[in-house]
Amino acid sequence: MPVSSSPVALAAGGVVSGIEDAVNQFVQPLTDAVSKVIFFEVPIGGVGVPLIVAWLLVGGIVFTVYLGAVQIRGLRLAYEITRRRGSGEDADAPGEVTQFQALMAACAGTVGLGNIAGVAVAVSVGGPGATFWMIVCGLLGMALKFAECTLGVKYREVNEDGTVSGGPMHYLRRGLADRGFARLGRVLAVAFAPIIIVFGLTGGNMFQVNQTVAQLRSVTGGDSGVLGGSAAGLGIGVVIAVLIGVILLGGAKRLGAVVGRLVPLMAVVYLIGCVIVLAVNASALPGAFQLIVREAFDPAAGAGGVIGVMVVGFTRAAFSNEAGLGSAPIVQAAAKTRHPASGGLVSMLGPLIDTVIVCTMTALAIIVANPPEYAAARAAGRAEGVELTSAAFASVLPWFPYVLTVAVVLFALSTTVTWSYYGQKCWEGVFGAGGRSDLAFKLVTIGCVVLGSVLTLGAVLDLADALLFVLALINIFGLYLMAPTVKQELKDYLRHRATRGGQDGPDAQELVAVPEAAGRQG
């Protein structure tokens, strides 16, 4: 008799299902009410456009223009700063981790299931053209990421033990006070932290663990396999909980050390799989690129024509890179640097890696492999997730879904680790740091990880997703008010580099002219 069919397992499954149904029924009315407000749609061209997506898109455009396309002109300098990995002028600067480790930690929170399942949803509903708009959104998001992470470093607080606390809960309070909006800053900062805590414990932890268990179960025989049943899932949850607890005990330094190795590893594993799929279907690549561009502007493509394809692409990219939500500045604030804008420049590489590179590779793999599941989803207008990506991998070699499983597990683990750190920093802002407060957060986090291995709690996760986008309203509003501060930091840093005459001097000299000219407008 399979383990999942034993009387004990069936009884346990019934209890778990009962708890899950009760919680979902209790939370669902609140989820519906919040989602109705946050994802309110305005009809444009016969297609409902969520205002929150438009808010993120406009924010990216505004900061791209205001900062002189810093994501393009500053890209080489950002790469040079990251490449040193802690050497040079910032080696003994305040902070806990190198710029590279901070970037990898931020990527750990964004490079995940959204790049695998989210992209599959985008191209199955919006067609290949959605890929083009995801790339555009990723590029615009780089400017938002620069602005928020620059402020994250500028207004961070270095504690007596050398640890660092930063993020919107700090720069909204202190930065807006500098701009003459002290009371507003305090209100926004107080509203921000609890939302990060809620999402970190649910969407950042429970959902990731739940999907890890589901993926492991699917490649080991399903519900009747060795990992079928609640007991096996609980065991996986306990193992992950122990790993998370050990990493949290080490703080930002251990987080940086772990993700500095884990993120490149998981990216390489996943991208190798994508490259093999693309290499086998190399003859289809030119046609795929043409299809992506053509259908991005084809009124007959995707759901709802051009506007519909744009909405699908922008929505999935916003979920994927989190630019403007205020999560990345929490860990970027821990970077060793004396110059806030240097942290902002490095952080821009996050959306580039997450959306422009990884998401595009996923989309191309699905388009060129063109598995039967893709054609069926397009014909039916049905959203397909990780199963579609898995089918694209399997079309080349039957055992490729196991490679995908490894990538999913690594993605989920790194995301869980990073969001636990985000939650911890916001918890400290609300309840204080050290002692019983830290212990309480670690116990709650570990408990949620274990629960996530046996409970899906769909209504709770939907609520967490809606609340996550509330952060965009709070954070980007604050960024607008502090935009002159961001521009001044960029101008000061570029002047510093230009006068140093170092290896990056020419790049900095070329960039200085942009904020100088724009500065007269601020």
Side-chain angles (χ1 to χ4, degrees), residues 397-419:
L397 288 173
W399 49 264
F400 256 41
Y402 293 100
V403 176
L404 183 62
T405 298
V406 172
V408 167
V409 172
L410 292 177
F411 283 152
L413 180 60
S414 65
T415 300
T416 302
V417 168
T418 300
W419 271 96

Side-chain angles (χ1 to χ4, degrees), residues 485-504:
T485 303
V486 176
K487 183 182 292 183
Q488 186 62 47
E489 286 296 331
L490 176 60
K491 182 166 61 176
D492 291 347
Y493 179 62
L494 295 178
R495 278 178 172 170
H496 165 75
R497 294 202 63 83
T499 56
R500 277 182 65 235
Q503 58 181 332
D504 303 319

Side-chain angles (χ1 to χ4, degrees), residues 64-319:
T64 294
V65 174
Y66 187 72
L67 298 173
V70 65
Q71 67 266 56
I72 304 299
R73 299 173 65 90
L75 189 59
R76 181 178 174 184
L77 182 54
Y79 169 73
E80 291 296 334
I81 297 170
T82 308
R83 186 173 60 85
R84 291 195 298 274
R85 297 197 182 191
S87 62
E89 62 174 331
D90 286 336
D92 58 347
E96 297 184 77
V97 297
T98 67
Q99 296 268 29
F100 174 77
Q101 289 175 329
L103 173 64
M104 290 299 100
C107 286
T110 57
V111 179
L113 292 171
N115 305 93
I116 301 175
V119 174
V121 170
V123 297
S124 61
V125 175
T131 308
F132 178 88
W133 297 113
M134 289 184 70
I135 294 171
V136 171
C137 189
L139 292 173
L140 293 174
M142 292 171 69
L144 276 176
K145 192 80 81 167
F146 169 81
E148 61 186 357
C149 288
T150 295
L151 293 172
V153 176
K154 179 175 176 62
Y155 290 107
R156 65 184 177 181
E157 296 181 2
V158 181
N159 304 315
E160 293 182 359
D161 59 359
T163 59
V164 174
S165 296
M169 54 281 191
H170 293 277
Y171 65 67
L172 289 171
R173 175 172 52 84
R174 297 173 57 198
L176 287 178
D178 286 350
R179 300 289 300 166
F181 303 102
R183 181 176 298 178
L184 175 63
R186 288 194 297 270
V187 171
L188 294 180
V190 168
F192 184 90
I195 298 175
I196 284 283
I197 295 171
V198 170
F199 185 83
L201 294 173
T202 54
N205 284 357
M206 292 179 68
F207 174 72
Q208 301 298 327
V209 175
N210 187 273
Q211 291 301 294
T212 298
V213 173
Q215 184 66 15
L216 289 172
R217 186 172 290 155
S218 70
V219 297
T220 55
D223 290 339
S224 61
V226 65
L227 295 181
S230 301
L234 186 63
I236 296 171
V238 170
V239 171
I240 296 176
V242 171
L243 291 173
I244 300 301
V246 170
I247 294 170
L248 284 178
L249 287 173
K253 291 183 179 179
R254 185 168 294 170
L255 171 66
V258 170
V259 299
R261 294 175 175 84
L262 186 59
V263 172
L265 173 62
M266 72 182 187
V268 168
V269 168
Y270 183 69
L271 291 178
I272 285 176
C274 289
V275 167
I276 293 176
V277 174
L278 297 179
V280 171
N281 297 278
S283 61
L285 272 175
F289 282 111
Q290 292 175 7
L291 192 63
I292 287 171
V293 176
R294 185 174 68 249
E295 292 208 8
F297 302 96
D298 184 357
V306 175
I307 299 297
V309 174
M310 288 177 64
V311 170
V312 171
F314 286 142
T315 301
R316 298 323 307 178
F319 268 105

Side-chain angles (χ1 to χ4, degrees), residues 373-409:
E373 292 86 349
Y374 181 42
R378 290 293 313 278
R382 183 179 66 249
E384 291 287 350
V386 68
E387 299 86 358
L388 182 55
T389 311
S390 182
F393 276 47
S395 68
V396 174
L397 288 173
W399 49 264
F400 256 41
Y402 293 100
V403 176
L404 183 62
T405 298
V406 172
V408 167
V409 172

